[in-house]
Amino acid sequence: MPDTITFKIKRQDSESSGSYWETFVIPHVPNSNVISCLMDIQANPENSKGEKVAPVVWECNCLEEVCGSCTMVINRKVRQSCSALVDQLEKPITLEPMSKFPVIRDLAVDRSRMFGALKKVQAWVTADGYHDLGPGIREPQNHQEIAYKLSECMTCGCCVEACPQYSLNNNFLGAAAISQSRLFNMHPTAKNIADERLDTLMQEGGIADCGNAQNCVEACPKSIPLTESIAEIGRQVSGKLWSNIFQA
Amino acid sequence: MSKQRVIVIGGGLAGLAATMKMAELGMSVLLVSFLPVKRSHSVCAQGGINGAVNIKGEGDSPDIHFYDTVKGGDFLAHQPLCKDMCHHAPYIINLMDRLGVTFNRTPEGNLDFRRFGGTLYHRTAFAGATTGQQLLYALDEQVRHYEVQGLVEKMEWHEYLGAVLNGDGRCVGAVIHNLRSGEISTEKGDAVILATGGPGLVYGRSTNSMVCTGTAVTSAYLQGAKYGNGEFIQIHPSAIPGRDKLRLMSESARGEGGRVWVPRKAGDSRKPKEIPEKERFYFLEERYPLFGNLVPRDVGAREIYDICVNDKLGVHGEMKVYLDLTHLTREFLDHRLGGILEIYEKFTGVDPREEPMEIFPAVHYSMGGIWTDYTRTEEGLIDHQSPQNQMTSITGLYAAGEADYQYHGGNRLGANSLLSCIYTGLMMSPGVLNYVKNVPEAADDVPEKLFTEATKQWQEKYAEIKKMSGNENPYALHREMAEEMISNVLIVRENSKLQATLEKIDEFEERWKNVNCVDTTDWSNPVPSFINQLWNMIQLSKIITKGALLRDEFRGSHYKPEFDLNQPSDFRPESYLEYEKQKAAGKVNEEGFNPEHLTYMKRFAENNVKWLKSTIATYQNGGPDISYEAVDTSLIAPRPRKYD
Ligand SMILES: Cc1cc2nc3c(=O)[nH]c(=O)nc-3n(C[C@H](O)[C@H](O)[C@H](O)COP(=O)(O)OP(=O)(O)OC[C@H]3O[C@@H](n4cnc5c(N)ncnc54)[C@H](O)[C@@H]3O)c2cc1C
Ligand code: SF4
Ligand code: SF4
Ligand code: FES
């Protein structure tokens, strides 16, 4: 076992400045993950040339792969850095920011577009109020199982990073938002505005932009059945198109 | 009057619940958060949320839930709040169901409930093993809807630095640091709510998320607010060792049948599955036949400590025990506990469905927090219209969620925190709005000068921090301080060590002055913030350690062997109630009690007179001044706890 680990990190000082690679060599400690190594760099920010540099900037919070903060591209694969165990990675380890979002600094990117997409597809239940209105509607277990899986989406961005159709210069909503539409369209009361969601998904940036490359489903760390969601929303959209034609 | 608004700091469950409720009532809300609220620490909660819905027909009721909560907290919790919370719990669970939380279901389609620690009932609603995430998302979605409607404005990637106080000491806004541009400015608000979560990072590695530094509430303390029960830190019995974080293995693993054991023979080097049943010591089941593996957390953590340190039976001679699920079927485990088992597998490389897990106790939760107030009714419930509810000792500055101190006393029951967070956010909102309606002067009309001065003061402070060029790396200093706290202010507390730690903390404070601001750029630079947070963590560690040093008793999570009253093993708490009854009637028939029990009861009563009080820390002369305040225990008479 080598007693050091080498990290090659793609850095960028601000939104508008260019990027550059910097190498860090740190002592190898068993059971490390990428974040614990970034923390080691923070506690002793020195690059491989022995120069004191600013610590690397990245995002993280939960450190257990449920908050979605720490997504980055590790050895060319998009994933969460908190669950990337160093002993399982090829060395040297390369870290890059996601490429489908504007870089803020170093490995931190701005994913507000994904939260914006949740607004567009109205990913919420419209409630009559927060007072006591008694129990919700009973639901079969198999329905809960499907919904639960979909509701685990942590807006981490892996799916859209992997998607060939999602780019910095278009307005594709992306697999995560499509899948959330499916979740709310199957909820017993949120489905009351299913039509409005489908209207949005029929516009530019909607479901038609998906080229069915299926990269998204493979990239999703929560194993959310994204292609199923896309197919389901595709069906709902065609159904609506047909009924629009008949109503016209 | 000018247009008014409330500033909410923090978008975990408590902050989002308050935001959504106030927006429903028509109030504009500015929601400020360190990171996108959807990524708040609340997503980590795994096990579930309590409410006595009594789906299983066990005769559970809100009053029993109330009793379990107060007993679990060793009688230090504020009873009217707990009672009101437990009575609202079934409604809160129904509300969250209506808002789209994908709770697990029974075959008939009702919400399903599981068992958790410190109760004998199935009272915990859950969504797989990611209940906190699901609850948070439902609230996040409601708030996003209000954002679209224009009632809520979000400032994510912004940090709260301090409250803006007017000449009367009333809070009229907040100082906010833009974590991207580095700009410091003020926002006006007629009330400010701190819903900023717990302080696990004071201990470095804990089960908490990285933003849980307690910095916002400590800042309020430094501005004069009282801090309550700081020394009550919950140690969770079951965490997974890790370099960066001690990931939690939820109590639900035991709620679903997980069994804790160690080999009976010290230093047994066999693999766990090779150790036959009769050579395994299921110490919780043997020592607590009634509650078994589901004793409350303070009891569980102490027993693991005892088995590993005193009996030297820890797995591989270390501070570790087995948590075994292998007797349950894969299908059952995946369905009920999937998420947490995946975490274990992902971070250790071992499949817990095949091999017993190795777990150990870790810092998990702070029962203490910023002091807050409430108004009770005759019946011992809460007057929801009162502006005093959840107000800190600074007028107009409120707190909610793990940041406050009232609900869990000396020890929190599992699955009661998600409840207290949502309950508090909802409950306090009407009162906050009543306060806002009646403020003597709207924040908008407060002279501008007050705000520019507050801004300037913090800008100067950050400029000073950026100039720091000593030779201490702030992150390394934090690690060292955390080690000290972990070594000496954890499960078993000794006065000599606590005293030494207090002195050590003073040294850390000195060394902080010699810190190097390792990054001095303006753009998206987390270092100056961290240095400021580190200062606050040092102040908070003083509150915790000094509170622990001065509290010479054993209560809940605060265990000092020296002051253990050593409850006789055959003692029943009912005798204490009888003893108190006789005392109240004027004469105790001493012969009627077992003499050993009688001595114990007398000591117990004396100890309560002295210590059944909230610890209050106020900032004076550079450190915490500690005093004590009475707690309302009028609804359930305090008595010795017993779980076997
Ligand atoms: C691993 C784990 C599992 C748990 N499981 C359970 C469970 O099953 N059941 C249960 O009842 N409880 C559980 N708990 C406890 C529970 O999750 C927490 O107590 C609760 O979620 C705290 O919520 P909160 O709203 O108070 O704060 P948090 O969710 O911590 O949110 C704090 C918010 O404040 C913001 N913030 C903090 N500081 C600042 C600042 N200075 N400026 C701006 N914003 C700031 C953050 O960005 C965040 O939005 C668990 C805890 C852990 C650690
Ligand atoms: S199926 Fe392909 S094109 Fe469609 S969202 Fe997934 S990756 Fe993108
Ligand atoms: S669908 Fe999966 S990959 Fe995409 S944002 Fe959600 S969790 Fe991440
Ligand atoms: S830090 Fe939350 S997903 Fe990695």
Side-chain angles (χ1 to χ4, degrees), chain B residues 599-613:
Chain B
T599 320
Y600 167 71
M601 291 191 292
K602 284 184 179 165
R603 291 176 65 205
F604 181 85
E606 263 170 49
N607 184 68
N608 271 354
V609 171
K610 185 148 185 224
W611 289 116
L612 184 43
K613 290 180 179 149

PDB file of all heavy atoms in Angstrom, chain B residues 599-613:
ATOM      1  N   THR B 599     -33.644   5.398  52.123  1.00  0.00           N
ATOM      2  CA  THR B 599     -32.445   6.235  52.039  1.00  0.00           C
ATOM      3  C   THR B 599     -32.285   6.762  50.614  1.00  0.00           C
ATOM      4  O   THR B 599     -32.008   7.943  50.392  1.00  0.00           O
ATOM      5  CB  THR B 599     -31.182   5.410  52.394  1.00  0.00           C
ATOM      6  OG1 THR B 599     -31.517   4.562  53.462  1.00  0.00           O
ATOM      7  CG2 THR B 599     -30.013   6.298  52.723  1.00  0.00           C
ATOM      8  N   TYR B 600     -32.454   5.858  49.659  1.00  0.00           N
ATOM      9  CA  TYR B 600     -32.331   6.257  48.261  1.00  0.00           C
ATOM     10  C   TYR B 600     -33.342   7.362  47.911  1.00  0.00           C
ATOM     11  O   TYR B 600     -32.999   8.367  47.307  1.00  0.00           O
ATOM     12  CB  TYR B 600     -32.523   5.039  47.346  1.00  0.00           C
ATOM     13  CG  TYR B 600     -32.724   5.416  45.892  1.00  0.00           C
ATOM     14  CD1 TYR B 600     -31.668   5.920  45.137  1.00  0.00           C
ATOM     15  CD2 TYR B 600     -33.969   5.301  45.287  1.00  0.00           C
ATOM     16  CE1 TYR B 600     -31.851   6.288  43.811  1.00  0.00           C
ATOM     17  CE2 TYR B 600     -34.173   5.662  43.966  1.00  0.00           C
ATOM     18  CZ  TYR B 600     -33.105   6.163  43.225  1.00  0.00           C
ATOM     19  OH  TYR B 600     -33.294   6.544  41.933  1.00  0.00           O
ATOM     20  N   MET B 601     -34.591   7.176  48.357  1.00  0.00           N
ATOM     21  CA  MET B 601     -35.637   8.149  48.008  1.00  0.00           C
ATOM     22  C   MET B 601     -35.354   9.510  48.627  1.00  0.00           C
ATOM     23  O   MET B 601     -35.592  10.547  48.013  1.00  0.00           O
ATOM     24  CB  MET B 601     -37.009   7.630  48.451  1.00  0.00           C
ATOM     25  CG  MET B 601     -37.453   6.432  47.612  1.00  0.00           C
ATOM     26  SD  MET B 601     -39.170   5.979  47.871  1.00  0.00           S
ATOM     27  CE  MET B 601     -39.133   5.386  49.539  1.00  0.00           C
ATOM     28  N   LYS B 602     -34.838   9.486  49.858  1.00  0.00           N
ATOM     29  CA  LYS B 602     -34.513  10.761  50.496  1.00  0.00           C
ATOM     30  C   LYS B 602     -33.428  11.489  49.705  1.00  0.00           C
ATOM     31  O   LYS B 602     -33.500  12.693  49.468  1.00  0.00           O
ATOM     32  CB  LYS B 602     -34.037  10.525  51.938  1.00  0.00           C
ATOM     33  CG  LYS B 602     -35.157  10.217  52.887  1.00  0.00           C
ATOM     34  CD  LYS B 602     -34.628  10.081  54.304  1.00  0.00           C
ATOM     35  CE  LYS B 602     -35.783   9.797  55.255  1.00  0.00           C
ATOM     36  NZ  LYS B 602     -35.278   9.325  56.548  1.00  0.00           N
ATOM     37  N   ARG B 603     -32.433  10.725  49.285  1.00  0.00           N
ATOM     38  CA  ARG B 603     -31.351  11.346  48.523  1.00  0.00           C
ATOM     39  C   ARG B 603     -31.856  11.832  47.162  1.00  0.00           C
ATOM     40  O   ARG B 603     -31.477  12.886  46.671  1.00  0.00           O
ATOM     41  CB  ARG B 603     -30.207  10.352  48.334  1.00  0.00           C
ATOM     42  CG  ARG B 603     -29.481  10.040  49.647  1.00  0.00           C
ATOM     43  CD  ARG B 603     -28.412   8.980  49.452  1.00  0.00           C
ATOM     44  NE  ARG B 603     -27.343   9.447  48.567  1.00  0.00           N
ATOM     45  CZ  ARG B 603     -26.566   8.624  47.854  1.00  0.00           C
ATOM     46  NH1 ARG B 603     -26.740   7.329  47.917  1.00  0.00           N
ATOM     47  NH2 ARG B 603     -25.629   9.112  47.075  1.00  0.00           N
ATOM     48  N   PHE B 604     -32.733  11.034  46.572  1.00  0.00           N
ATOM     49  CA  PHE B 604     -33.295  11.409  45.274  1.00  0.00           C
ATOM     50  C   PHE B 604     -34.054  12.741  45.400  1.00  0.00           C
ATOM     51  O   PHE B 604     -33.889  13.650  44.571  1.00  0.00           O
ATOM     52  CB  PHE B 604     -34.220  10.299  44.761  1.00  0.00           C
ATOM     53  CG  PHE B 604     -34.824  10.584  43.423  1.00  0.00           C
ATOM     54  CD1 PHE B 604     -34.126  10.291  42.248  1.00  0.00           C
ATOM     55  CD2 PHE B 604     -36.084  11.174  43.307  1.00  0.00           C
ATOM     56  CE1 PHE B 604     -34.669  10.580  41.002  1.00  0.00           C
ATOM     57  CE2 PHE B 604     -36.634  11.460  42.053  1.00  0.00           C
ATOM     58  CZ  PHE B 604     -35.930  11.162  40.902  1.00  0.00           C
ATOM     59  N   ALA B 605     -34.885  12.841  46.462  1.00  0.00           N
ATOM     60  CA  ALA B 605     -35.677  14.061  46.650  1.00  0.00           C
ATOM     61  C   ALA B 605     -34.768  15.269  46.880  1.00  0.00           C
ATOM     62  O   ALA B 605     -34.956  16.335  46.278  1.00  0.00           O
ATOM     63  CB  ALA B 605     -36.632  13.884  47.818  1.00  0.00           C
ATOM     64  N   GLU B 606     -33.773  15.074  47.720  1.00  0.00           N
ATOM     65  CA  GLU B 606     -32.824  16.173  47.991  1.00  0.00           C
ATOM     66  C   GLU B 606     -32.118  16.615  46.720  1.00  0.00           C
ATOM     67  O   GLU B 606     -31.937  17.797  46.461  1.00  0.00           O
ATOM     68  CB  GLU B 606     -31.719  15.663  48.926  1.00  0.00           C
ATOM     69  CG  GLU B 606     -31.898  15.964  50.378  1.00  0.00           C
ATOM     70  CD  GLU B 606     -30.854  15.177  51.173  1.00  0.00           C
ATOM     71  OE1 GLU B 606     -29.659  15.209  50.814  1.00  0.00           O
ATOM     72  OE2 GLU B 606     -31.275  14.493  52.127  1.00  0.00           O
ATOM     73  N   ASN B 607     -31.679  15.621  45.966  1.00  0.00           N
ATOM     74  CA  ASN B 607     -30.958  15.925  44.726  1.00  0.00           C
ATOM     75  C   ASN B 607     -31.834  16.742  43.773  1.00  0.00           C
ATOM     76  O   ASN B 607     -31.363  17.675  43.124  1.00  0.00           O
ATOM     77  CB  ASN B 607     -30.510  14.628  44.061  1.00  0.00           C
ATOM     78  CG  ASN B 607     -29.667  14.891  42.829  1.00  0.00           C
ATOM     79  OD1 ASN B 607     -28.553  15.381  42.929  1.00  0.00           O
ATOM     80  ND2 ASN B 607     -30.227  14.615  41.668  1.00  0.00           N
ATOM     81  N   ASN B 608     -33.118  16.405  43.704  1.00  0.00           N
ATOM     82  CA  ASN B 608     -34.018  17.140  42.813  1.00  0.00           C
ATOM     83  C   ASN B 608     -34.195  18.583  43.254  1.00  0.00           C
ATOM     84  O   ASN B 608     -34.295  19.486  42.427  1.00  0.00           O
ATOM     85  CB  ASN B 608     -35.371  16.446  42.725  1.00  0.00           C
ATOM     86  CG  ASN B 608     -35.397  15.422  41.606  1.00  0.00           C
ATOM     87  OD1 ASN B 608     -34.435  15.317  40.841  1.00  0.00           O
ATOM     88  ND2 ASN B 608     -36.478  14.674  41.508  1.00  0.00           N
ATOM     89  N   VAL B 609     -34.279  18.770  44.575  1.00  0.00           N
ATOM     90  CA  VAL B 609     -34.432  20.139  45.063  1.00  0.00           C
ATOM     91  C   VAL B 609     -33.261  20.984  44.554  1.00  0.00           C
ATOM     92  O   VAL B 609     -33.413  22.105  44.102  1.00  0.00           O
ATOM     93  CB  VAL B 609     -34.465  20.168  46.611  1.00  0.00           C
ATOM     94  CG1 VAL B 609     -34.412  21.599  47.127  1.00  0.00           C
ATOM     95  CG2 VAL B 609     -35.708  19.450  47.107  1.00  0.00           C
ATOM     96  N   LYS B 610     -32.101  20.373  44.569  1.00  0.00           N
ATOM     97  CA  LYS B 610     -30.915  21.118  44.158  1.00  0.00           C
ATOM     98  C   LYS B 610     -30.770  21.213  42.640  1.00  0.00           C
ATOM     99  O   LYS B 610     -30.423  22.252  42.101  1.00  0.00           O
ATOM    100  CB  LYS B 610     -29.692  20.434  44.762  1.00  0.00           C
ATOM    101  CG  LYS B 610     -28.405  21.172  44.503  1.00  0.00           C
ATOM    102  CD  LYS B 610     -27.418  21.003  45.634  1.00  0.00           C
ATOM    103  CE  LYS B 610     -26.195  21.871  45.375  1.00  0.00           C
ATOM    104  NZ  LYS B 610     -24.963  21.157  45.653  1.00  0.00           N
ATOM    105  N   TRP B 611     -31.028  20.111  41.950  1.00  0.00           N
ATOM    106  CA  TRP B 611     -30.594  20.048  40.545  1.00  0.00           C
ATOM    107  C   TRP B 611     -31.692  19.932  39.500  1.00  0.00           C
ATOM    108  O   TRP B 611     -31.394  19.980  38.305  1.00  0.00           O
ATOM    109  CB  TRP B 611     -29.623  18.878  40.359  1.00  0.00           C
ATOM    110  CG  TRP B 611     -28.305  19.102  40.996  1.00  0.00           C
ATOM    111  CD1 TRP B 611     -27.770  18.393  42.021  1.00  0.00           C
ATOM    112  CD2 TRP B 611     -27.344  20.108  40.660  1.00  0.00           C
ATOM    113  NE1 TRP B 611     -26.541  18.892  42.354  1.00  0.00           N
ATOM    114  CE2 TRP B 611     -26.245  19.942  41.528  1.00  0.00           C
ATOM    115  CE3 TRP B 611     -27.304  21.139  39.720  1.00  0.00           C
ATOM    116  CZ2 TRP B 611     -25.124  20.761  41.491  1.00  0.00           C
ATOM    117  CZ3 TRP B 611     -26.190  21.956  39.672  1.00  0.00           C
ATOM    118  CH2 TRP B 611     -25.114  21.774  40.548  1.00  0.00           C
ATOM    119  N   LEU B 612     -32.926  19.742  39.896  1.00  0.00           N
ATOM    120  CA  LEU B 612     -33.959  19.632  38.860  1.00  0.00           C
ATOM    121  C   LEU B 612     -34.268  21.037  38.346  1.00  0.00           C
ATOM    122  O   LEU B 612     -35.331  21.614  38.602  1.00  0.00           O
ATOM    123  CB  LEU B 612     -35.218  18.929  39.405  1.00  0.00           C
ATOM    124  CG  LEU B 612     -36.338  18.680  38.386  1.00  0.00           C
ATOM    125  CD1 LEU B 612     -35.801  18.181  37.061  1.00  0.00           C
ATOM    126  CD2 LEU B 612     -37.345  17.714  38.928  1.00  0.00           C
ATOM    127  N   LYS B 613     -33.314  21.597  37.633  1.00  0.00           N
ATOM    128  CA  LYS B 613     -33.380  22.979  37.171  1.00  0.00           C
ATOM    129  C   LYS B 613     -32.660  23.071  35.842  1.00  0.00           C
ATOM    130  O   LYS B 613     -31.747  22.292  35.571  1.00  0.00           O
ATOM    131  CB  LYS B 613     -32.654  23.877  38.171  1.00  0.00           C
ATOM    132  CG  LYS B 613     -33.386  24.002  39.488  1.00  0.00           C
ATOM    133  CD  LYS B 613     -32.662  24.892  40.445  1.00  0.00           C
ATOM    134  CE  LYS B 613     -33.476  24.969  41.731  1.00  0.00           C
ATOM    135  NZ  LYS B 613     -32.609  25.159  42.892  1.00  0.00           N
TER     136      LYS B 613
END
